[in-house]
Amino acid sequence: MPYYPPEPFRIKVVEPIKLVSPAERRIAIAEAGYNVFALKAKDIFIDLLTDSGTGAMSQHQWSALMEGDESYAGARSYFRLKEAVEDIFGFKYFLPTHQGRAAENILAAVLVKPGCHIPSNMHFDTTDANIRARGGRPVNLVIEEAFDPANLHPFKGNMDLKKLKAYIEETGSQNIPMGMITVTNNAGGGQPVSMENIRSVATLYHSYNIPFFIDAARYAENAYFIKLREPGYADKTPIEIAREMFSYADGFCMSAKKDAIVNIGGLLALNDPAVFQKVSNELILREGFVSYGGLAGRDLDAMAVGLYEGLDEDYLAYRLSQTAYLAGLLREQGIGLIEPPGGHAIYLDAGALLPHIPHGEFPGQALAVEMYLEGGIRACEIGSVMFAHPDPDTGEMVYPRLELVRLAIPRRVYTQSHLDYLAQSLGKIIQRASELRGLKFTYAPELLRHFTARFERL
Ligand code: F0G
């Protein structure tokens, strides 16, 4: 039997959840246009749509909220956050933002010009869209192993350095205003990036004078994977590993809703004073003053505390064992997933589970809909609904290589029995997989279409 770690906390406040009847679930998903984003939370039993902003804050974070200083400028809360950010990440300048995508937006506003190119291992959807929205081209250059769900490479989030070098040579470094890497690689299975790879990517970008930014949403989980898997790091603490990771970069943007275990918040930090001046002006225009960035003072305090809790070693050991446990339950039933399991989520290989449904009929979406119908479970498609797009040169549809369904595990929220229930529900679906049918769009916006698209079942 897979191992389930005892949680390094006990439960002090509970939030009731309810499984509504199968008939109610059928009505709810039809009314939602077969898009799980349009479901009402009250109709969901176990919500694995995202690990973003859905974590449970600790008693220390809740008490920090009471210390929040709501001054418009120069609040104490800002300085408490500043101290934590400088201690962990070590950049010269930082800005709080209301989410990760707000940090991406102001960074893209300043650095991305029409026709320029931004490489990464894999951009997440909001980063991808923020670059496209400014006329730039996001490019994904992760190692080939990332596309083989069975491959057990310990750092499947790594950048392919050969591809990156060739891409820079071909594109010309003058057309690349920044280079990125996402840790862990959310769009590719929550897979970590090794320290060696981060260091080499930085060296390569810097040899072409390209500033290097980390998308750091899950940096603490990445640090713990490095501790577990990379030679030379076993005796280092997660915070020491994190400090080394960021020492190679020129800046980072981050959604604090993941590893800082807050319900809202983001960060942007960098070393270049001229860029900082410009992003500050963008922040003031769109988000708020530089000392609160669209957040309440209390949110900054919860973040300052959460940044350290997300790096706690007992917490990280529990966190990564929880996803490993769920992966074990699914593996026992022969359910295909991206191996090895990532930190924050399990990614079901919907393409392999439903081989009879082609890309254009959205096998991942079909599985996500079925999970809701079977068990009141909400999960997120990461496949053609999210990423298929017309090629800007030829207009031909480009499909992603993997059709996935992500089961994102909120931090400190669900227990072992919730995961057992989930595994049992999936087991039932797999029995009747060949009967499942795909979907087609009845509405789809141009960018970030998974959020608001509507479907019809085929
Ligand atoms: N970068 C990564 C790697 C992310 O996973 C996310 C968000 C963002 C940036 C944007 O941050 O939501 O605070 O604006 N990911 C969430 C998810 C939405 O479900 O994976 P945000």
Side-chain angles (χ1 to χ4, degrees):
M1 222 181 69
Y3 170 70
Y4 190 87
E7 286 86 356
F9 53 81
R10 55 186 181 175
I11 296 165
K12 181 140 64 179
V13 177
V14 295
E15 177 184 353
I17 51 175
K18 183 175 158 58
L19 178 61
V20 300
S21 72
E24 288 170 294
R25 299 203 289 275
R26 278 196 295 276
I27 294 169
I29 194 75
E31 283 180 350
Y34 298 95
N35 184 341
V36 296
F37 281 94
L39 285 169
K40 297 186 180 104
K42 72 172 179 56
D43 295 327
I44 294 160
F45 187 43
I46 295 184
D47 199 348
L48 307 181
L49 184 67
T50 178
D51 63 319
S52 182
T54 52
M57 290 207 295
S58 69
Q59 58 184 6
H60 302 296
Q61 288 176 289
W62 281 104
S63 35
L65 288 179
M66 291 303 296
E67 302 275 336
D69 175 352
E70 305 303 341
S71 304
Y72 188 94
R76 294 172 194 85
S77 305
Y78 167 77
F79 289 102
R80 285 190 282 265
L81 177 61
K82 183 170 191 283
E83 201 173 306
V85 170
E86 284 172 357
D87 180 36
I88 298 167
F89 304 102
F91 294 100
K92 290 203 187 97
Y93 309 103
F94 100 101
L95 293 170
T97 61
H98 81 275
Q99 299 208 177
R101 70 196 67 180
E104 292 159 9
N105 175 34
I106 59 177
L107 188 63
V110 171
L111 293 183
V112 178
K113 302 283 176 274
C116 78
H117 298 239
I118 316 286
S120 186
N121 49 351
M122 288 177 88
H123 294 281
F124 192 62
D125 58 352
T126 57
T127 328
D128 183 288
N130 268 305
I131 293 166
R132 286 182 201 279
R134 303 276 169 190
R137 293 243 190 136
V139 186
N140 297 332
L141 302 172
V142 71
I143 56 173
E144 280 305 303
E145 285 87 338
F147 300 105
D148 173 7
N151 191 300
L152 292 178
H153 191 294
F155 292 102
K156 273 168 105 169
N158 280 358
M159 182 89 80
D160 187 322
L161 294 161
K162 276 206 193 100
K163 278 195 227 165
L164 179 61
K165 190 170 168 50
Y167 193 82
I168 298 173
E169 285 288 332
E170 206 174 285
T171 313
S173 58
Q174 73 283 4
N175 298 315
I176 305 179
M178 68 170 160
M180 297 187 75
I181 202 162
T182 311
V183 299
T184 56
N185 181 20
N186 186 14
Q191 299 293 323
V193 180
S194 72
M195 189 72 84
E196 203 212 331
N197 194 253
I198 294 174
R199 200 184 300 126
S200 309
V201 165
T203 306
L204 190 59
Y205 280 139
H206 290 155
S207 71
Y208 289 93
N209 283 322
I210 299 169
F212 171 37
F213 279 78
I214 297 179
D215 176 345
R218 298 176 184 82
Y219 79 100
E221 290 171 8
N222 200 89
Y224 201 67
F225 275 121
I226 289 176
K227 181 180 170 82
L228 294 179
R229 296 181 184 171
E230 190 159 346
Y233 289 93
D235 296 329
K236 296 210 154 75
T237 60
I239 196 169
E240 288 168 341
I241 298 172
R243 285 182 185 130
E244 184 182 339
M245 284 162 54
F246 291 99
S247 72
Y248 301 121
D250 302 293
F252 77 101
C253 44
M254 173 173 161
S255 169
K257 300 169 73 173
K258 285 82 171 172
D259 280 355
I261 326 183
V262 287
N263 303 121
I264 195 74
L267 291 169
L268 175 65
L270 42 77
N271 287 331
D272 184 321
V275 176
F276 181 67
Q277 189 66 259
K278 290 183 192 157
V279 288
S280 299
N281 292 337
E282 285 288 331
L283 184 85
I284 294 167
L285 182 63
R286 298 169 200 288
E287 295 276 315
F289 190 57
V290 293
S291 63
Y292 71 88
L295 294 167
R298 55 183 170 273
D299 299 326
L300 307 179
D301 270 304
M303 205 195 303
V305 175
L307 280 168
Y308 287 105
E309 291 185 2
L311 284 166
D312 178 79
E313 204 152 340
D314 291 340
Y315 158 75
L316 283 168
Y318 145 76
R319 172 89 179 140
L320 298 196
S321 314
Q322 201 186 28
T323 34
Y325 171 79
L326 178 56
L329 295 182
L330 300 180
R331 226 177 266 138
E332 281 179 349
Q333 304 184 81
I335 298 173
L337 51 121
I338 294 196
E339 297 279 11
H344 69 295
I346 297 293
Y347 292 67
L348 302 173
D349 186 353
L353 292 169
L354 305 172
H356 57 289
I357 304 183
H359 288 289
E361 294 176 12
F362 311 127
Q365 191 68 16
L367 183 59
V369 165
E370 201 63 22
M371 287 177 67
Y372 178 69
L373 289 170
E374 172 61 45
I377 298 157
R378 178 155 72 168
C380 178
E381 191 257 18
I382 299 198
S384 285
V385 176
M386 193 179 272
F387 286 123
H389 63 276
D391 183 290
D393 296 326
T394 65
E396 211 171 294
M397 214 48 173
V398 184
Y399 291 106
R401 290 166 71 172
L402 294 175
E403 297 286 352
L404 305 171
V405 170
R406 186 184 70 169
L407 313 177
I409 315 292
R411 290 166 182 76
R412 309 189 288 209
V413 169
Y414 291 113
T415 64
Q416 181 175 14
S417 55
H418 292 120
L419 301 188
D420 291 347
Y421 169 84
L422 165 71
Q424 285 157 13
S425 299
L426 272 167
K428 290 184 202 157
I429 293 173
I430 293 317
Q431 305 289 317
R432 54 170 197 273
S434 62
E435 296 161 26
L436 268 57
R437 294 286 165 269
L439 302 115
K440 71 170 198 204
F441 281 132
T442 56
Y443 162 74
E446 201 182 323
L447 289 176
L448 296 177
R449 58 191 189 169
H450 52 289
F451 289 124
T452 54
R454 295 182 69 83
F455 303 86
E456 214 167 72
R457 295 178 102 186
L458 291 168

